[in-house]
Amino acid sequence: SGRQMVTIGRDEGRDIQVYDQTSSREHARIEFRGDQFVLVDCSCKGTLLRDVSGERLVLGGEITLPRSGIICCSRAHFGQEYPEGIQFKPFDNDIMLD
């Protein structure tokens, strides 16, 4: 079986390290549950999720990821046309992170 979780944050030990100083050392994680991917916010600042339906701030909670979108570890990107972030999309019954 494949990996069940990916961690995101400023800390060097995260699977995806972000370099935005407004993000937390352990900012968020993506978990595979059943047949879906779930974004879990581990920060006190919130994680921004953007997809075709708009933007949502996940603050201390979790949300099922849509088929594709962008995850931003800073509220500063809220409302920006082209925010810096982690792009995700489906890939062969898995998820690809850029």
Side-chain angles (χ1 to χ4, degrees):
S1 79
R3 217 168 151 170
Q4 299 296 307
M5 183 175 66
V6 174
T7 58
I8 303 168
R10 274 193 352 254
D11 188 75
E12 289 180 11
R14 301 297 116 211
D15 298 311
I16 299 173
Q17 187 177 10
V18 293
Y19 299 98
D20 186 331
Q21 290 301 309
T22 64
S23 66
S24 300
R25 289 187 298 272
E26 184 178 348
H27 197 92
R29 63 183 183 267
I30 299 171
E31 298 178 358
F32 182 65
R33 298 184 191 162
D35 62 349
Q36 58 192 8
F37 293 92
V38 178
L39 173 67
V40 180
D41 176 59
C42 303
S43 73
C44 60
K45 302 169 187 174
T47 302
L48 179 66
L49 174 64
R50 176 186 272 184
D51 67 357
V52 294
S53 65
E55 295 180 326
R56 292 177 296 281
L57 182 64
V58 182
L59 186 55
E62 57 186 49
I63 191 169
T64 300
L65 288 177
R67 289 192 49 78
S68 62
I70 299 174
I71 298 167
C72 300
C73 294
S74 172
R75 283 193 218 185
H77 298 295
F78 200 84
Q80 288 184 353
E81 188 172 355
Y82 300 106
E84 291 182 26
I86 302 159
Q87 294 186 12
F88 63 92
K89 57 189 170 190
F91 180 74
D92 205 16
N93 292 327
D94 207 343
I95 190 170
M96 182 178 354
L97 303 167
D98 285 333

